[in-house]
Amino acid sequence: MQYPIVSGQDSLPGFTIDLTLAPQVAVVRVTGELDLAVDRQFGELLAEAEATGTPVVLDMTEVSFCASCILGHLARAAQRLTLQGRQLVVATTQRMVLRPLMLLRLEDHLGLAPDLATALQQLGLPGDTLTPGTPA
């Protein structure tokens, strides 16, 4: 089975975003600088991930900058998912992402993990969840 991927990688130089939909989780992967120029696209793809009815993992391991507008999306998504009994887990070790999250105390409302595999494990899913052919 191949998992569908919605991609916006060709949108802006220095920025990529894609959404992988698996039966148990939606994974949004972003790279580069997340600023006002990508705010709309980021918000739309995050909303699409939320609409799946599954937990959401946001892989930000290759993000070099995270603007306040992006943090607003994260805060609102974490609140909505929590109210629905689901989780949002952010995977990153990037100081430019972690520092603002912690200053705003957003780690109280979403999960943090150093990488995608750990984020999946925090959700009780095997690390190979996104590998096609893995039993659901």
mmCIF file of all heavy atoms in Angstrom, residues 86-117:
data_model
loop_
_atom_site.group_PDB
_atom_site.id
_atom_site.type_symbol
_atom_site.label_atom_id
_atom_site.label_comp_id
_atom_site.label_asym_id
_atom_site.label_seq_id
_atom_site.Cartn_x
_atom_site.Cartn_y
_atom_site.Cartn_z
ATOM 1 N N ARG A 86 -7.041 13.984 20.527
ATOM 2 C CA ARG A 86 -5.911 13.584 19.688
ATOM 3 C C ARG A 86 -4.691 14.413 20.071
ATOM 4 O O ARG A 86 -4.790 15.343 20.854
ATOM 5 C CB ARG A 86 -6.243 13.791 18.209
ATOM 6 C CG ARG A 86 -7.369 12.894 17.741
ATOM 7 C CD ARG A 86 -7.600 13.008 16.251
ATOM 8 N NE ARG A 86 -8.251 14.265 15.904
ATOM 9 C CZ ARG A 86 -8.027 14.945 14.773
ATOM 10 N NH1 ARG A 86 -7.150 14.507 13.900
ATOM 11 N NH2 ARG A 86 -8.671 16.064 14.522
ATOM 12 N N GLN A 87 -3.555 14.045 19.505
ATOM 13 C CA GLN A 87 -2.312 14.719 19.845
ATOM 14 C C GLN A 87 -1.650 15.356 18.643
ATOM 15 O O GLN A 87 -1.803 14.888 17.510
ATOM 16 C CB GLN A 87 -1.305 13.730 20.426
ATOM 17 C CG GLN A 87 -1.537 13.359 21.865
ATOM 18 C CD GLN A 87 -0.382 12.500 22.345
ATOM 19 O OE1 GLN A 87 -0.338 11.316 22.050
ATOM 20 N NE2 GLN A 87 0.536 13.091 23.066
ATOM 21 N N LEU A 88 -0.874 16.410 18.920
ATOM 22 C CA LEU A 88 0.040 17.000 17.965
ATOM 23 C C LEU A 88 1.431 16.845 18.574
ATOM 24 O O LEU A 88 1.666 17.282 19.703
ATOM 25 C CB LEU A 88 -0.255 18.482 17.742
ATOM 26 C CG LEU A 88 0.764 19.264 16.904
ATOM 27 C CD1 LEU A 88 0.852 18.713 15.485
ATOM 28 C CD2 LEU A 88 0.413 20.741 16.878
ATOM 29 N N VAL A 89 2.325 16.188 17.841
ATOM 30 C CA VAL A 89 3.701 16.006 18.302
ATOM 31 C C VAL A 89 4.619 16.700 17.312
ATOM 32 O O VAL A 89 4.518 16.483 16.104
ATOM 33 C CB VAL A 89 4.078 14.514 18.414
ATOM 34 C CG1 VAL A 89 5.514 14.360 18.892
ATOM 35 C CG2 VAL A 89 3.123 13.782 19.358
ATOM 36 N N VAL A 90 5.503 17.552 17.834
ATOM 37 C CA VAL A 90 6.479 18.255 17.009
ATOM 38 C C VAL A 90 7.818 17.549 17.158
ATOM 39 O O VAL A 90 8.314 17.377 18.274
ATOM 40 C CB VAL A 90 6.607 19.740 17.419
ATOM 41 C CG1 VAL A 90 7.705 20.432 16.629
ATOM 42 C CG2 VAL A 90 5.275 20.456 17.243
ATOM 43 N N ALA A 91 8.391 17.144 16.035
ATOM 44 C CA ALA A 91 9.695 16.489 16.026
ATOM 45 C C ALA A 91 10.758 17.494 15.594
ATOM 46 O O ALA A 91 10.719 17.984 14.465
ATOM 47 C CB ALA A 91 9.685 15.289 15.082
ATOM 48 N N THR A 92 11.670 17.817 16.506
ATOM 49 C CA THR A 92 12.767 18.727 16.181
ATOM 50 C C THR A 92 13.783 18.771 17.310
ATOM 51 O O THR A 92 13.450 18.507 18.468
ATOM 52 C CB THR A 92 12.279 20.159 15.899
ATOM 53 O OG1 THR A 92 13.348 20.914 15.335
ATOM 54 C CG2 THR A 92 11.748 20.837 17.138
ATOM 55 N N THR A 93 14.999 19.120 16.965
ATOM 56 C CA THR A 93 16.032 19.458 17.938
ATOM 57 C C THR A 93 16.566 20.857 17.637
ATOM 58 O O THR A 93 17.521 21.302 18.268
ATOM 59 C CB THR A 93 17.203 18.449 17.907
ATOM 60 O OG1 THR A 93 17.751 18.415 16.590
ATOM 61 C CG2 THR A 93 16.768 17.066 18.343
ATOM 62 N N GLN A 94 15.958 21.532 16.679
ATOM 63 C CA GLN A 94 16.415 22.850 16.248
ATOM 64 C C GLN A 94 16.097 23.907 17.304
ATOM 65 O O GLN A 94 14.943 24.120 17.659
ATOM 66 C CB GLN A 94 15.746 23.241 14.918
ATOM 67 C CG GLN A 94 16.053 22.311 13.772
ATOM 68 C CD GLN A 94 17.515 22.378 13.372
ATOM 69 O OE1 GLN A 94 18.163 23.409 13.491
ATOM 70 N NE2 GLN A 94 18.038 21.253 12.910
ATOM 71 N N ARG A 95 17.139 24.562 17.780
ATOM 72 C CA ARG A 95 16.975 25.597 18.799
ATOM 73 C C ARG A 95 16.053 26.723 18.321
ATOM 74 O O ARG A 95 15.275 27.267 19.098
ATOM 75 C CB ARG A 95 18.346 26.153 19.173
ATOM 76 C CG ARG A 95 18.327 27.241 20.211
ATOM 77 C CD ARG A 95 19.741 27.602 20.639
ATOM 78 N NE ARG A 95 19.861 28.863 21.316
ATOM 79 C CZ ARG A 95 19.452 29.119 22.547
ATOM 80 N NH1 ARG A 95 18.865 28.172 23.233
ATOM 81 N NH2 ARG A 95 19.606 30.300 23.090
ATOM 82 N N MET A 96 16.113 27.047 17.030
ATOM 83 C CA MET A 96 15.286 28.124 16.480
ATOM 84 C C MET A 96 13.791 27.776 16.521
ATOM 85 O O MET A 96 12.955 28.653 16.377
ATOM 86 C CB MET A 96 15.692 28.441 15.037
ATOM 87 C CG MET A 96 17.091 29.020 14.915
ATOM 88 S SD MET A 96 17.296 30.577 15.793
ATOM 89 C CE MET A 96 16.352 31.665 14.746
ATOM 90 N N VAL A 97 13.478 26.515 16.724
ATOM 91 C CA VAL A 97 12.088 26.080 16.856
ATOM 92 C C VAL A 97 11.762 25.843 18.327
ATOM 93 O O VAL A 97 10.744 26.325 18.831
ATOM 94 C CB VAL A 97 11.818 24.795 16.034
ATOM 95 C CG1 VAL A 97 10.401 24.300 16.261
ATOM 96 C CG2 VAL A 97 12.083 25.040 14.564
ATOM 97 N N LEU A 98 12.630 25.117 19.015
ATOM 98 C CA LEU A 98 12.366 24.755 20.410
ATOM 99 C C LEU A 98 12.292 25.960 21.342
ATOM 100 O O LEU A 98 11.425 26.014 22.222
ATOM 101 C CB LEU A 98 13.425 23.784 20.916
ATOM 102 C CG LEU A 98 13.366 22.382 20.368
ATOM 103 C CD1 LEU A 98 14.583 21.577 20.812
ATOM 104 C CD2 LEU A 98 12.079 21.689 20.794
ATOM 105 N N ARG A 99 13.189 26.906 21.173
ATOM 106 C CA ARG A 99 13.238 28.052 22.083
ATOM 107 C C ARG A 99 11.916 28.827 22.108
ATOM 108 O O ARG A 99 11.363 29.069 23.185
ATOM 109 C CB ARG A 99 14.416 28.953 21.697
ATOM 110 C CG ARG A 99 14.622 30.098 22.625
ATOM 111 C CD ARG A 99 15.338 29.654 23.879
ATOM 112 N NE ARG A 99 15.674 30.849 24.644
ATOM 113 C CZ ARG A 99 15.430 30.959 25.936
ATOM 114 N NH1 ARG A 99 14.930 29.961 26.605
ATOM 115 N NH2 ARG A 99 15.740 32.057 26.565
ATOM 116 N N PRO A 100 11.359 29.216 20.958
ATOM 117 C CA PRO A 100 10.065 29.922 21.004
ATOM 118 C C PRO A 100 8.938 29.050 21.556
ATOM 119 O O PRO A 100 8.064 29.536 22.277
ATOM 120 C CB PRO A 100 9.788 30.305 19.551
ATOM 121 C CG PRO A 100 11.052 30.136 18.821
ATOM 122 C CD PRO A 100 11.909 29.206 19.606
ATOM 123 N N LEU A 101 8.948 27.757 21.225
ATOM 124 C CA LEU A 101 7.919 26.864 21.757
ATOM 125 C C LEU A 101 7.948 26.854 23.280
ATOM 126 O O LEU A 101 6.908 26.887 23.938
ATOM 127 C CB LEU A 101 8.108 25.441 21.237
ATOM 128 C CG LEU A 101 7.774 25.165 19.781
ATOM 129 C CD1 LEU A 101 8.127 23.736 19.408
ATOM 130 C CD2 LEU A 101 6.313 25.447 19.508
ATOM 131 N N MET A 102 9.148 26.815 23.834
ATOM 132 C CA MET A 102 9.278 26.762 25.294
ATOM 133 C C MET A 102 9.013 28.118 25.941
ATOM 134 O O MET A 102 8.431 28.176 27.023
ATOM 135 C CB MET A 102 10.633 26.205 25.665
ATOM 136 C CG MET A 102 10.736 24.742 25.284
ATOM 137 S SD MET A 102 12.250 24.015 25.844
ATOM 138 C CE MET A 102 11.992 22.337 25.279
ATOM 139 N N LEU A 103 9.418 29.195 25.295
ATOM 140 C CA LEU A 103 9.133 30.529 25.844
ATOM 141 C C LEU A 103 7.633 30.763 25.937
ATOM 142 O O LEU A 103 7.151 31.407 26.868
ATOM 143 C CB LEU A 103 9.783 31.620 24.986
ATOM 144 C CG LEU A 103 11.285 31.788 25.154
ATOM 145 C CD1 LEU A 103 11.830 32.756 24.116
ATOM 146 C CD2 LEU A 103 11.623 32.273 26.553
ATOM 147 N N LEU A 104 6.895 30.245 24.975
ATOM 148 C CA LEU A 104 5.438 30.393 24.963
ATOM 149 C C LEU A 104 4.729 29.277 25.736
ATOM 150 O O LEU A 104 3.511 29.244 25.795
ATOM 151 C CB LEU A 104 4.931 30.425 23.518
ATOM 152 C CG LEU A 104 5.394 31.624 22.709
ATOM 153 C CD1 LEU A 104 5.038 31.445 21.243
ATOM 154 C CD2 LEU A 104 4.800 32.908 23.261
ATOM 155 N N ARG A 105 5.509 28.363 26.275
ATOM 156 C CA ARG A 105 5.012 27.209 27.048
ATOM 157 C C ARG A 105 4.085 26.327 26.210
ATOM 158 O O ARG A 105 3.164 25.697 26.732
ATOM 159 C CB ARG A 105 4.339 27.663 28.333
ATOM 160 C CG ARG A 105 5.297 28.485 29.201
ATOM 161 C CD ARG A 105 4.951 28.525 30.643
ATOM 162 N NE ARG A 105 4.557 27.269 31.196
ATOM 163 C CZ ARG A 105 5.303 26.546 32.038
ATOM 164 N NH1 ARG A 105 6.484 26.960 32.371
ATOM 165 N NH2 ARG A 105 4.838 25.427 32.541
ATOM 166 N N LEU A 106 4.327 26.271 24.921
ATOM 167 C CA LEU A 106 3.517 25.419 24.048
ATOM 168 C C LEU A 106 3.806 23.940 24.275
ATOM 169 O O LEU A 106 2.972 23.105 23.950
ATOM 170 C CB LEU A 106 3.736 25.784 22.575
ATOM 171 C CG LEU A 106 3.175 27.124 22.139
ATOM 172 C CD1 LEU A 106 3.493 27.394 20.681
ATOM 173 C CD2 LEU A 106 1.679 27.182 22.373
ATOM 174 N N GLU A 107 4.969 23.638 24.861
ATOM 175 C CA GLU A 107 5.262 22.232 25.143
ATOM 176 C C GLU A 107 4.289 21.643 26.159
ATOM 177 O O GLU A 107 4.172 20.423 26.280
ATOM 178 C CB GLU A 107 6.723 22.043 25.599
ATOM 179 C CG GLU A 107 6.992 22.399 27.045
ATOM 180 C CD GLU A 107 7.280 23.882 27.299
ATOM 181 O OE1 GLU A 107 7.042 24.719 26.416
ATOM 182 O OE2 GLU A 107 7.740 24.198 28.409
ATOM 183 N N ASP A 108 3.540 22.494 26.858
ATOM 184 C CA ASP A 108 2.494 22.018 27.775
ATOM 185 C C ASP A 108 1.282 21.489 27.015
ATOM 186 O O ASP A 108 0.442 20.797 27.574
ATOM 187 C CB ASP A 108 2.030 23.151 28.707
ATOM 188 C CG ASP A 108 3.107 23.591 29.681
ATOM 189 O OD1 ASP A 108 4.104 22.851 29.864
ATOM 190 O OD2 ASP A 108 2.957 24.688 30.259
ATOM 191 N N HIS A 109 1.169 21.851 25.725
ATOM 192 C CA HIS A 109 -0.024 21.519 24.952
ATOM 193 C C HIS A 109 0.237 20.617 23.756
ATOM 194 O O HIS A 109 -0.704 20.214 23.080
ATOM 195 C CB HIS A 109 -0.699 22.807 24.474
ATOM 196 C CG HIS A 109 -0.986 23.750 25.590
ATOM 197 N ND1 HIS A 109 -2.012 23.558 26.486
ATOM 198 C CD2 HIS A 109 -0.334 24.862 25.993
ATOM 199 C CE1 HIS A 109 -1.996 24.533 27.384
ATOM 200 N NE2 HIS A 109 -0.989 25.334 27.110
ATOM 201 N N LEU A 110 1.498 20.351 23.498
ATOM 202 C CA LEU A 110 1.835 19.449 22.401
ATOM 203 C C LEU A 110 3.029 18.603 22.811
ATOM 204 O O LEU A 110 3.745 18.941 23.742
ATOM 205 C CB LEU A 110 2.110 20.226 21.099
ATOM 206 C CG LEU A 110 3.063 21.414 21.122
ATOM 207 C CD1 LEU A 110 4.513 21.002 21.089
ATOM 208 C CD2 LEU A 110 2.763 22.302 19.933
ATOM 209 N N GLY A 111 3.201 17.496 22.121
ATOM 210 C CA GLY A 111 4.329 16.636 22.416
ATOM 211 C C GLY A 111 5.567 17.110 21.675
ATOM 212 O O GLY A 111 5.472 17.706 20.606
ATOM 213 N N LEU A 112 6.720 16.858 22.259
ATOM 214 C CA LEU A 112 7.993 17.169 21.613
ATOM 215 C C LEU A 112 8.810 15.901 21.510
ATOM 216 O O LEU A 112 8.836 15.092 22.445
ATOM 217 C CB LEU A 112 8.769 18.218 22.417
ATOM 218 C CG LEU A 112 8.209 19.627 22.429
ATOM 219 C CD1 LEU A 112 9.033 20.513 23.359
ATOM 220 C CD2 LEU A 112 8.184 20.219 21.032
ATOM 221 N N ALA A 113 9.476 15.734 20.397
ATOM 222 C CA ALA A 113 10.324 14.572 20.171
ATOM 223 C C ALA A 113 11.534 15.030 19.351
ATOM 224 O O ALA A 113 11.436 15.980 18.582
ATOM 225 C CB ALA A 113 9.558 13.487 19.417
ATOM 226 N N PRO A 114 12.671 14.352 19.501
ATOM 227 C CA PRO A 114 13.857 14.772 18.756
ATOM 228 C C PRO A 114 13.833 14.409 17.273
ATOM 229 O O PRO A 114 14.537 15.005 16.473
ATOM 230 C CB PRO A 114 14.998 14.055 19.468
ATOM 231 C CG PRO A 114 14.361 12.866 20.101
ATOM 232 C CD PRO A 114 12.964 13.289 20.454
ATOM 233 N N ASP A 115 13.016 13.415 16.909
ATOM 234 C CA ASP A 115 12.977 12.977 15.505
ATOM 235 C C ASP A 115 11.633 12.317 15.217
ATOM 236 O O ASP A 115 10.820 12.091 16.118
ATOM 237 C CB ASP A 115 14.131 12.020 15.191
ATOM 238 C CG ASP A 115 14.190 10.848 16.151
ATOM 239 O OD1 ASP A 115 13.147 10.199 16.390
ATOM 240 O OD2 ASP A 115 15.285 10.563 16.668
ATOM 241 N N LEU A 116 11.419 12.005 13.952
ATOM 242 C CA LEU A 116 10.140 11.439 13.515
ATOM 243 C C LEU A 116 9.869 10.078 14.148
ATOM 244 O O LEU A 116 8.757 9.817 14.613
ATOM 245 C CB LEU A 116 10.108 11.345 11.993
ATOM 246 C CG LEU A 116 8.843 10.764 11.368
ATOM 247 C CD1 LEU A 116 7.611 11.558 11.765
ATOM 248 C CD2 LEU A 116 8.983 10.698 9.864
ATOM 249 N N ALA A 117 10.865 9.216 14.196
ATOM 250 C CA ALA A 117 10.668 7.875 14.769
ATOM 251 C C ALA A 117 10.251 7.957 16.233
ATOM 252 O O ALA A 117 9.343 7.237 16.672
ATOM 253 C CB ALA A 117 11.944 7.040 14.617
#
